[in-house]
Amino acid sequence: MVFELKSIYKDYMQGKDAVPVLKDISMQVEEGEYVAIMGPSGSGKSTLMNIIGCLDKQTKGDFIFDTSDIMLCNDRQLSEIRNQKIGFVFQNFNLLPRQSALENVELPLLYAGVGKRKRRQLAEEALRRVGLGDRMLFKPTQLSGGQKQRVAIARAIVNQPKLLLADEPTGALDTKSGEQVMELFSELNRDGVTIVMITHEPDIAKCAKRIMYIRDGQLHDGAFRASAEAPAAEQTETEAAE
Ligand SMILES: Nc1ncnc2c1ncn2[C@@H]1O[C@H](COP(=O)(O)OP(=O)(O)O)[C@@H](O)[C@H]1O
Ligand SMILES: [Mg+2]
C-alpha cells in the first residue's frame, strides 16, 4: 500500500466558523496504480492534494502514508516524507529560474544528502529518461512549456519516490505538449511508478487506469460517474440512429 485515507475531513476557518471542504473522504492507493482525481473548480482537489502530499493535515480522520500515521508526524518528519517518498509535479512547473535543468533535478538529492558525483549521475539519468538528454544545461527560460514540465517530472522521479503526485500537470500546456506529458506518465507507470494526478480535464483523466470524482468535497468512484452519464450516452445513440 502507498497510502490510505480513512474518513478524512478538512475544514477551513472563516472567522469563527469552520467551513467544511473535504467530507468523509476514504481511498486507498496500492503500488503501481495510476489514479486520476477529477472535479470542477472549487471541489476540493488542491486541498486533497495538499493532504496526500503531506503539505497540510486533515481536520479529522486517519491518513496513513507508507508506514507513517501523518497526524502523528512533526514538521521535520513530514518534510522528510515529502523529500524522500513523494515527487511533486505542479501546473506551473515550480522550477528555479536561474538554475539549469540539471541543477533543478539535482535539488531533491541535495536535500537528501546525496554526494555530488552521485547527484550528477542520477539527475542525468532522470533527464535522459524524460527525453531531455540534450537539454541538461538549459535554463528554464530556454525551454518550452512541455520541456519545463518534463524537467519537473525528472526532478519528481529522481529520488525514486513511493508516489508521483501531480496537480493539473497539463494545465499550463498546449494540447500536444500535454499529450507528451501524458505519454511520459503512462511510460513511467508501466515501469512501476505509482501516480496520483489531479485534473479537471476528462481527456487527461482518461490516461489514468482509475478515475475518482470529487464534488463538493465528497469523493465518488467511476461507477457513480458512469451511471450519471449513461442517459446522455443513450441520447447520443438515439440521435445518431435517427
Ligand atoms: N486556505 C483556505 N482557506 C479557506 N478556504 C479555502 C482555502 N483553500 C481553499 N479553500 C476553499 O476550499 C474549497 C476547495 O478549494 P480547492 O481545494 O482549492 O479546490 P480545487 O483545487 O478543486 O479548485 C474552495 O471553496 C476554496 O474557496
Ligand atoms: Mg486546484
mmCIF file of all heavy atoms in Angstrom, residues 12-14 19 21-22 39-48 167-168 198 214, ligand 1:
data_model
loop_
_atom_site.group_PDB
_atom_site.id
_atom_site.type_symbol
_atom_site.label_atom_id
_atom_site.label_comp_id
_atom_site.label_asym_id
_atom_site.label_seq_id
_atom_site.Cartn_x
_atom_site.Cartn_y
_atom_site.Cartn_z
ATOM 1 N N TYR A 12 -11.816 24.595 6.764
ATOM 2 C CA TYR A 12 -11.047 25.842 6.842
ATOM 3 C C TYR A 12 -11.795 26.785 7.772
ATOM 4 O O TYR A 12 -13.024 26.820 7.770
ATOM 5 C CB TYR A 12 -10.912 26.485 5.456
ATOM 6 C CG TYR A 12 -9.916 25.805 4.559
ATOM 7 C CD1 TYR A 12 -10.313 25.245 3.353
ATOM 8 C CD2 TYR A 12 -8.564 25.728 4.907
ATOM 9 C CE1 TYR A 12 -9.396 24.627 2.511
ATOM 10 C CE2 TYR A 12 -7.645 25.116 4.080
ATOM 11 C CZ TYR A 12 -8.061 24.564 2.886
ATOM 12 O OH TYR A 12 -7.158 23.953 2.064
ATOM 13 N N MET A 13 -11.077 27.547 8.552
ATOM 14 C CA MET A 13 -11.726 28.508 9.442
ATOM 15 C C MET A 13 -12.001 29.799 8.677
ATOM 16 O O MET A 13 -11.133 30.331 8.015
ATOM 17 C CB MET A 13 -10.829 28.799 10.656
ATOM 18 C CG MET A 13 -10.646 27.614 11.599
ATOM 19 S SD MET A 13 -12.200 26.815 12.102
ATOM 20 C CE MET A 13 -12.921 28.135 13.089
ATOM 21 N N GLN A 14 -13.236 30.234 8.763
ATOM 22 C CA GLN A 14 -13.603 31.530 8.190
ATOM 23 C C GLN A 14 -14.091 32.360 9.365
ATOM 24 O O GLN A 14 -15.225 32.208 9.801
ATOM 25 C CB GLN A 14 -14.709 31.341 7.148
ATOM 26 C CG GLN A 14 -14.764 32.463 6.159
ATOM 27 C CD GLN A 14 -14.542 31.922 4.752
ATOM 28 O OE1 GLN A 14 -15.373 31.197 4.231
ATOM 29 N NE2 GLN A 14 -13.412 32.261 4.142
ATOM 30 N N VAL A 19 -15.553 26.004 7.919
ATOM 31 C CA VAL A 19 -16.190 25.704 6.634
ATOM 32 C C VAL A 19 -15.678 24.345 6.159
ATOM 33 O O VAL A 19 -14.489 24.180 5.928
ATOM 34 C CB VAL A 19 -15.845 26.779 5.579
ATOM 35 C CG1 VAL A 19 -16.514 26.470 4.250
ATOM 36 C CG2 VAL A 19 -16.225 28.162 6.087
ATOM 37 N N VAL A 21 -14.588 21.537 3.788
ATOM 38 C CA VAL A 21 -14.150 21.499 2.391
ATOM 39 C C VAL A 21 -14.006 20.054 1.906
ATOM 40 O O VAL A 21 -14.419 19.728 0.805
ATOM 41 C CB VAL A 21 -12.846 22.290 2.202
ATOM 42 C CG1 VAL A 21 -12.295 22.097 0.807
ATOM 43 C CG2 VAL A 21 -13.083 23.776 2.466
ATOM 44 N N LEU A 22 -13.455 19.184 2.729
ATOM 45 C CA LEU A 22 -13.445 17.749 2.408
ATOM 46 C C LEU A 22 -14.338 17.041 3.414
ATOM 47 O O LEU A 22 -14.261 17.296 4.621
ATOM 48 C CB LEU A 22 -12.023 17.181 2.467
ATOM 49 C CG LEU A 22 -10.998 17.785 1.507
ATOM 50 C CD1 LEU A 22 -9.649 17.091 1.687
ATOM 51 C CD2 LEU A 22 -11.462 17.695 0.056
ATOM 52 N N GLY A 39 -12.508 16.762 -10.830
ATOM 53 C CA GLY A 39 -13.589 17.512 -10.190
ATOM 54 C C GLY A 39 -13.570 18.938 -10.661
ATOM 55 O O GLY A 39 -12.530 19.435 -11.103
ATOM 56 N N PRO A 40 -14.717 19.603 -10.570
ATOM 57 C CA PRO A 40 -14.779 21.001 -11.015
ATOM 58 C C PRO A 40 -13.985 21.924 -10.095
ATOM 59 O O PRO A 40 -13.587 21.519 -8.995
ATOM 60 C CB PRO A 40 -16.278 21.326 -10.954
ATOM 61 C CG PRO A 40 -16.882 20.329 -10.036
ATOM 62 C CD PRO A 40 -16.015 19.108 -10.084
ATOM 63 N N SER A 41 -13.789 23.134 -10.548
ATOM 64 C CA SER A 41 -13.068 24.135 -9.769
ATOM 65 C C SER A 41 -13.772 24.356 -8.425
ATOM 66 O O SER A 41 -14.995 24.415 -8.358
ATOM 67 C CB SER A 41 -13.043 25.430 -10.585
ATOM 68 O OG SER A 41 -12.453 26.439 -9.843
ATOM 69 N N GLY A 42 -12.997 24.401 -7.366
ATOM 70 C CA GLY A 42 -13.564 24.643 -6.038
ATOM 71 C C GLY A 42 -14.085 23.397 -5.343
ATOM 72 O O GLY A 42 -14.601 23.463 -4.230
ATOM 73 N N SER A 43 -13.933 22.220 -5.976
ATOM 74 C CA SER A 43 -14.494 20.998 -5.390
ATOM 75 C C SER A 43 -13.620 20.440 -4.262
ATOM 76 O O SER A 43 -14.056 19.558 -3.524
ATOM 77 C CB SER A 43 -14.680 19.937 -6.481
ATOM 78 O OG SER A 43 -13.464 19.681 -7.146
ATOM 79 N N GLY A 44 -12.375 20.921 -4.158
ATOM 80 C CA GLY A 44 -11.509 20.450 -3.078
ATOM 81 C C GLY A 44 -10.313 19.662 -3.557
ATOM 82 O O GLY A 44 -9.603 19.044 -2.747
ATOM 83 N N LYS A 45 -10.016 19.699 -4.855
ATOM 84 C CA LYS A 45 -8.913 18.894 -5.407
ATOM 85 C C LYS A 45 -7.560 19.286 -4.798
ATOM 86 O O LYS A 45 -6.799 18.422 -4.366
ATOM 87 C CB LYS A 45 -8.833 19.053 -6.939
ATOM 88 C CG LYS A 45 -10.067 18.595 -7.677
ATOM 89 C CD LYS A 45 -9.889 18.641 -9.194
ATOM 90 C CE LYS A 45 -9.617 20.029 -9.745
ATOM 91 N NZ LYS A 45 -10.742 20.984 -9.539
ATOM 92 N N SER A 46 -7.283 20.587 -4.797
ATOM 93 C CA SER A 46 -5.972 21.005 -4.288
ATOM 94 C C SER A 46 -5.866 20.777 -2.773
ATOM 95 O O SER A 46 -4.801 20.424 -2.271
ATOM 96 C CB SER A 46 -5.705 22.478 -4.622
ATOM 97 O OG SER A 46 -5.554 22.610 -6.020
ATOM 98 N N THR A 47 -6.978 20.946 -2.093
ATOM 99 C CA THR A 47 -6.989 20.672 -0.653
ATOM 100 C C THR A 47 -6.650 19.201 -0.406
ATOM 101 O O THR A 47 -5.835 18.877 0.470
ATOM 102 C CB THR A 47 -8.386 21.005 -0.072
ATOM 103 O OG1 THR A 47 -8.679 22.377 -0.352
ATOM 104 C CG2 THR A 47 -8.434 20.766 1.423
ATOM 105 N N LEU A 48 -7.229 18.319 -1.214
ATOM 106 C CA LEU A 48 -6.953 16.889 -1.084
ATOM 107 C C LEU A 48 -5.502 16.582 -1.462
ATOM 108 O O LEU A 48 -4.817 15.807 -0.778
ATOM 109 C CB LEU A 48 -7.922 16.108 -1.985
ATOM 110 C CG LEU A 48 -7.787 14.591 -1.986
ATOM 111 C CD1 LEU A 48 -8.005 14.023 -0.581
ATOM 112 C CD2 LEU A 48 -8.795 13.961 -2.958
ATOM 113 N N ASP A 167 -0.579 17.899 -9.664
ATOM 114 C CA ASP A 167 -1.770 18.755 -9.615
ATOM 115 C C ASP A 167 -1.887 19.505 -10.932
ATOM 116 O O ASP A 167 -1.082 20.379 -11.214
ATOM 117 C CB ASP A 167 -1.674 19.734 -8.441
ATOM 118 C CG ASP A 167 -3.007 20.436 -8.148
ATOM 119 O OD1 ASP A 167 -4.007 20.140 -8.833
ATOM 120 O OD2 ASP A 167 -3.052 21.267 -7.231
ATOM 121 N N GLU A 168 -2.867 19.152 -11.759
ATOM 122 C CA GLU A 168 -3.097 19.780 -13.065
ATOM 123 C C GLU A 168 -1.800 19.851 -13.892
ATOM 124 O O GLU A 168 -1.406 20.936 -14.347
ATOM 125 C CB GLU A 168 -3.661 21.199 -12.879
ATOM 126 C CG GLU A 168 -4.918 21.280 -12.038
ATOM 127 C CD GLU A 168 -6.203 21.007 -12.830
ATOM 128 O OE1 GLU A 168 -6.123 20.687 -14.034
ATOM 129 O OE2 GLU A 168 -7.281 21.083 -12.222
ATOM 130 N N ILE A 198 -4.176 14.987 -10.397
ATOM 131 C CA ILE A 198 -5.389 15.760 -10.223
ATOM 132 C C ILE A 198 -5.621 16.584 -11.473
ATOM 133 O O ILE A 198 -4.692 17.187 -12.013
ATOM 134 C CB ILE A 198 -5.253 16.625 -8.961
ATOM 135 C CG1 ILE A 198 -5.392 15.686 -7.758
ATOM 136 C CG2 ILE A 198 -6.279 17.731 -8.918
ATOM 137 C CD1 ILE A 198 -4.908 16.215 -6.488
ATOM 138 N N ILE A 214 -14.399 14.026 -7.463
ATOM 139 C CA ILE A 214 -14.685 14.782 -6.252
ATOM 140 C C ILE A 214 -15.645 15.903 -6.602
ATOM 141 O O ILE A 214 -15.506 16.558 -7.637
ATOM 142 C CB ILE A 214 -13.385 15.303 -5.588
ATOM 143 C CG1 ILE A 214 -13.675 15.997 -4.269
ATOM 144 C CG2 ILE A 214 -12.576 16.182 -6.502
ATOM 145 C CD1 ILE A 214 -12.419 16.278 -3.449
HETATM 146 N N1 LIG B 1 -6.730 28.312 2.769
HETATM 147 C C1 LIG B 1 -8.045 28.335 2.592
HETATM 148 N N2 LIG B 1 -8.853 28.981 3.452
HETATM 149 C C2 LIG B 1 -10.197 28.985 3.287
HETATM 150 N N3 LIG B 1 -10.835 28.342 2.292
HETATM 151 C C3 LIG B 1 -10.088 27.686 1.398
HETATM 152 C C4 LIG B 1 -8.659 27.644 1.489
HETATM 153 N N4 LIG B 1 -8.194 26.908 0.455
HETATM 154 C C5 LIG B 1 -9.261 26.512 -0.259
HETATM 155 N N5 LIG B 1 -10.403 26.974 0.314
HETATM 156 C C6 LIG B 1 -11.784 26.721 -0.185
HETATM 157 O O1 LIG B 1 -11.949 25.324 -0.283
HETATM 158 C C7 LIG B 1 -12.679 24.976 -1.447
HETATM 159 C C8 LIG B 1 -11.872 23.991 -2.284
HETATM 160 O O2 LIG B 1 -10.704 24.639 -2.781
HETATM 161 P P1 LIG B 1 -9.600 23.858 -3.633
HETATM 162 O O3 LIG B 1 -9.187 22.657 -2.868
HETATM 163 O O4 LIG B 1 -8.532 24.838 -3.989
HETATM 164 O O5 LIG B 1 -10.440 23.431 -4.919
HETATM 165 P P2 LIG B 1 -9.962 22.974 -6.387
HETATM 166 O O6 LIG B 1 -8.488 22.722 -6.359
HETATM 167 O O7 LIG B 1 -10.795 21.770 -6.692
HETATM 168 O O8 LIG B 1 -10.321 24.111 -7.299
HETATM 169 C C9 LIG B 1 -12.984 26.274 -2.165
HETATM 170 O O9 LIG B 1 -14.306 26.656 -1.827
HETATM 171 C C10 LIG B 1 -11.992 27.244 -1.588
HETATM 172 O O10 LIG B 1 -12.522 28.537 -1.572
#
